Amino acid sequence: MKKIFLIACCSKKLEGTHPAEKLYQSDLFKKSLAYAKSQCADGIYILSAKHHLVPLDMELENYDVTLNNFSVAKKKAWAEKVISQLKDKWDLKNDTFVFLAGNNYRKYLLPHIEHYEIPMKNLKIGEQLKCLKENTSNKC
């Protein structure tokens, strides 16, 4: 069984074009990425409202799109695309997916995934930042 981390994108981004892991600039994103990297993940991806499932090294230009403004139908269509991309790379029935993302980014993905973890479910942003800081190690 593989462990794949899925991190939500954020609105704070660098200007211009950058690898995805460098583009996103919020404290929560940076701490989520550091945490995922410290967990010996088999895969780490960014859930992007515009680009769907994004590998860390994918070059992206700054953009301004959020799932918060999507209708339910558009969120479901976004999730279907992400699930299709995940199926191409991972086993949705046997692999474990760790969501470092809010409900908007996971709600319509979860019904398609057999094994998942939401380590910071129901924590406020400040609590999430503290949790990530306390649980990030350099073990990988």
Side-chain angles (χ1 to χ4, degrees):
M1 184 181 292
K2 307 280 187 189
K3 190 171 262 196
I4 298 90
F5 284 74
L6 302 172
I7 305 170
C9 66
C10 64
S11 60
K12 187 175 179 185
K13 300 173 191 73
L14 291 174
E15 289 298 322
T17 303
H18 304 275
E21 71 178 311
K22 305 272 189 227
L23 179 69
Y24 302 99
Q25 293 294 300
S26 77
D27 199 26
L28 182 60
F29 176 84
K30 289 179 178 182
K31 283 184 170 51
S32 295
L33 181 59
Y35 171 76
K37 286 182 173 182
S38 79
Q39 300 301 303
C40 305
D42 294 293
I44 302 172
Y45 297 90
I46 299 161
L47 296 173
S48 163
K50 181 174 182 177
H51 302 285
H52 304 87
L53 187 70
V54 176
L56 299 181
D57 62 351
M58 183 176 173
E59 292 281 327
L60 297 178
E61 188 174 344
N62 185 320
Y63 64 93
D64 186 19
V65 178
T66 175
L67 284 183
N68 295 334
N69 299 331
F70 284 21
S71 66
V72 170
K74 199 167 177 185
K75 286 178 188 176
K76 287 179 179 180
W78 174 88
E80 290 297 328
K81 173 74 172 170
V82 171
I83 288 298
S84 174
Q85 291 174 296
L86 285 171
K87 278 183 192 175
D88 288 344
K89 297 169 180 23
W90 306 100
D91 184 342
L92 299 184
K93 295 210 180 292
N94 294 305
D95 293 333
T96 299
F97 296 85
V98 181
F99 285 87
L100 302 176
N103 191 51
N104 255 349
Y105 283 84
R106 64 177 189 257
K107 181 177 183 175
Y108 298 109
L109 298 175
L110 295 180
H112 303 277
I113 296 172
E114 197 78 26
H115 304 281
Y116 60 86
E117 298 172 11
I118 307 169
M120 297 181 295
K121 186 176 184 181
N122 299 325
L123 294 183
K124 295 177 180 155
I125 296 293
E127 295 168 326
Q128 290 179 41
L129 291 169
K130 182 180 179 193
C131 178
L132 288 165
K133 185 177 179 184
E134 291 174 352
N135 292 292
T136 298
S137 67
N138 294 321
K139 69 179 180 180
C140 290

